[in-house]
Amino acid sequence: MSPTLVILLVALALLAIYAIAVYNALVRLKHQVAKNWSNIDVVLKQRHDELPKLVSVCRQYMRYEQETLQRVVEARGAVFAARERGDLRQLGEAETALRAGLGQLLAIAESYPELQADRAFRDLGARISQLEDTIADRRELYNESVNLLNVRLAQFPDLLIARRLGFTPASLLEFSEARADVDLDALFG
């Protein structure tokens, strides 16, 4: 066997090993993104199930705040629909609306002392707050895994293998984080 042939075979073997390693890394990242999305989906479903209970408890006390309650119910439906379709852009918009509605609902609830004293309301409020924190944590993990995948897909020479094998970038899950304080004077003025 000629030395040139040996060098060529070794080079091809190394190239094949590298391609396999890149492929396996991309598959691992792709599955990490899917797993992290599933983790978010579980918490979104849990919150989806808790919100009607909170609205029901609030309805017993907030007879004059039906518009706020309706906005929360509609936003909940929009989140559910976007989650079912897997539309991350719409999910982000619906989440933003839901978070704003929940913030307004909880701010208005402060003017109802009997509602504030209701144990079911306090428990549901604490549970939903806990779920919101969990969603934020899991969204951070999901976006980190999406970023790792997308960077790997854009790096040379990995992108050559990724394109040839049909790997595509994943979308970040983005919510508009409206952090402005609720204007209680405007709500009750």
Side-chain angles (χ1 to χ4, degrees), residues 60-110:
Q60 295 172 17
Y61 295 95
M62 298 178 158
R63 303 203 192 317
Y64 306 106
E65 307 296 343
Q66 293 304 314
E67 182 180 325
T68 300
L69 293 170
Q70 188 60 34
R71 271 197 302 260
V72 170
V73 169
E74 288 171 2
R76 173 186 172 257
V79 167
F80 178 77
R83 185 180 56 75
E84 288 294 308
R85 287 190 313 271
D87 185 342
L88 294 185
R89 189 182 62 72
Q90 286 293 327
L91 179 63
E93 292 173 10
E95 272 292 323
T96 299
L98 180 59
R99 289 167 185 263
L102 278 174
Q104 187 175 16
L105 176 65
L106 295 175
I108 290 172
E110 291 180 13

Side-chain angles (χ1 to χ4, degrees), residues 70-187:
Q70 188 60 34
R71 271 197 302 260
V72 170
V73 169
E74 288 171 2
R76 173 186 172 257
V79 167
F80 178 77
R83 185 180 56 75
E84 288 294 308
R85 287 190 313 271
D87 185 342
L88 294 185
R89 189 182 62 72
Q90 286 293 327
L91 179 63
E93 292 173 10
E95 272 292 323
T96 299
L98 180 59
R99 289 167 185 263
L102 278 174
Q104 187 175 16
L105 176 65
L106 295 175
I108 290 172
E110 291 180 13
S111 68
Y112 291 86
E114 62 279 2
L115 177 59
Q116 291 291 318
D118 188 289
R119 181 171 173 78
F121 175 78
R122 287 193 324 263
D123 291 347
L124 286 167
R127 172 76 175 138
I128 288 172
S129 178
Q130 176 190 27
L131 289 170
E132 291 296 321
D133 291 342
T134 303
I135 289 169
D137 291 342
R138 290 186 179 180
R139 188 181 102 211
E140 184 178 340
L141 288 173
Y142 171 81
N143 284 343
E144 179 62 23
S145 64
V146 165
N147 187 53
L148 290 172
L149 174 65
N150 291 346
V151 166
R152 190 76 192 252
L153 292 175
Q155 289 177 335
F156 183 82
D158 295 1
L159 70 96
L160 299 173
I161 295 168
R163 285 182 185 165
R164 190 166 281 291
L165 296 175
F167 284 91
T168 57
S171 298
L172 294 171
L173 180 56
E174 299 175 305
F175 304 154
S176 296
E177 299 293 338
R179 293 287 181 196
D181 287 337
V182 175
D183 184 1
L184 294 177
D185 290 335
L187 289 173

